[in-house]
Amino acid sequence: MSVILMLIASACFATMAAMIKGIGFSLPIPEIIFFRSILPLPFFLGALLLQKKKLVVTAWKTLLLRAIFGFLAITGFYYTLAHIPLAISVFLGKTQPLILAVLAPWVVGEKTSRSVWFAIGTGLAGIVLILDPSLGWTTAAWASIGAATASAIAHLLVRKLNRTDDPVTIVTNFFIVTALLGSIWMGPSFIMPDRGQWLLLGGVALFSTIGQYLMTLAYRMDYAPVVAAASYASIVFSVLYGYFFWNEIPPVSAWAGGFLILAGSFILLRSRI
């Protein structure tokens, strides 16, 4: 069940990424993050009140860390989407399960086997193929790797939070903190969105909210590397979006590298089974 939830969440995240790429440079990144976080808040706050659940998580220190790393991951990912093709950005972002496998023993106490280390090596080879010669070690490439690392840490912290708090409370608190961080960073750079931008921002908020909630539920049900491995389904959606909307076709080296990263993910999944 956890894998199915993550597959649906991945489709939501891929759609969200396409909408963010559609916004591009027309709005500042902190403004996009702010609206992404603030628009779903009434729904989640209402759900908490109706279900009479706690408004604030018990492990609030862990939540703050999760929000900070999540904010860094979102910022790096949005920056990457505006600078490199959608599919390649997602390929690099999907190094996250490999990073999760490296960090899991220290963050959530999950053991790393030999097969997992082999998967990590396979994924690293894939990164090299994607970045050289198809993309090069650009700022956007480093931002993508950094975002994947921050996201991996954030996802592991979600798993820790699930031991003490309800998923709805976790997601609500996450949106509150990231909205505050976005508003502080946005400052005087605010630009009033036009009608088309409002529609895209609304779509970003909707699909990110659904994806965020389903992802949180998925991490409550299974080990972190396994759930993250299921997120590779978003690659298919991203390739299709990139081709149909921006005529982006990844080079052969990027496909080869993506295949190796994907292979590493399936090795992780097989090691769990």
Side-chain angles (χ1 to χ4, degrees), residues 41-204:
L41 266 181
F43 169 78
F44 280 99
L45 287 172
L48 287 178
L49 292 173
L50 287 174
Q51 298 174 26
K52 297 181 179 180
K53 294 181 179 179
K54 292 190 304 181
L55 293 177
V56 181
V57 295
T58 302
W60 61 269
K61 292 182 180 179
T62 303
L63 185 281
L64 286 177
L65 283 175
R66 183 267 181 271
I68 291 171
F69 280 107
F71 186 85
L72 291 173
I74 295 168
T75 302
F77 184 54
Y78 289 9
Y79 176 85
T80 302
L81 287 172
H83 288 83
I84 62 178
L86 178 60
I88 293 179
S89 175
V90 173
F91 275 142
L92 292 174
K94 292 311 173 185
T95 55
Q96 183 208 75
L98 306 173
I99 299 170
L100 275 167
V102 173
L103 298 176
W106 290 275
V107 180
V108 293
E110 295 176 4
K111 296 181 180 180
T112 303
S113 64
R114 291 182 180 179
S115 60
V116 170
W117 286 114
F118 179 74
I120 293 168
T122 303
L124 289 175
I127 294 172
V128 173
L129 275 176
I130 291 175
L131 297 183
D132 187 18
S134 65
L135 185 61
W137 292 93
T138 62
T139 302
W142 282 110
S144 183
I145 300 299
T149 303
S151 179
I153 297 173
H155 283 204
L156 285 168
L157 291 170
V158 167
R159 184 157 176 79
K160 289 189 70 174
L161 284 167
N162 275 324
R163 296 171 180 172
T164 57
D165 293 283
D166 184 85
V168 179
T169 306
I170 295 170
V171 174
T172 303
N173 283 225
F174 170 72
F175 281 142
I176 291 173
V177 176
T178 53
L180 288 173
L181 292 174
S183 64
I184 293 170
W185 185 20
M186 179 171 56
S189 65
F190 177 81
I191 298 174
M192 180 59 68
D194 59 27
R195 183 179 299 178
Q197 291 168 337
W198 275 119
L199 288 174
L200 289 172
L201 287 170
V204 168

Side-chain angles (χ1 to χ4, degrees), residues 237-262:
F237 294 100
S238 299
V239 170
L240 292 174
Y241 283 138
Y243 176 75
F244 285 111
F245 291 103
W246 295 280
N247 198 31
E248 297 173 349
I249 303 176
V252 174
S253 58
W255 281 109
F259 174 79
L260 287 176
I261 294 174
L262 185 61

Side-chain angles (χ1 to χ4, degrees), residues 3 97-98 101 113-119 222-230 232 261-273:
V3 172
L98 306 173
S113 64
R114 291 182 180 179
S115 60
V116 170
W117 286 114
F118 179 74
D222 210 338
Y223 288 128
V226 176
V227 175
Y232 275 63
I261 294 174
L262 185 61
S265 174
F266 279 111
I267 293 171
L268 287 177
L269 182 59
R270 187 176 179 82
S271 69
R272 175 64 175 85
I273 296 173

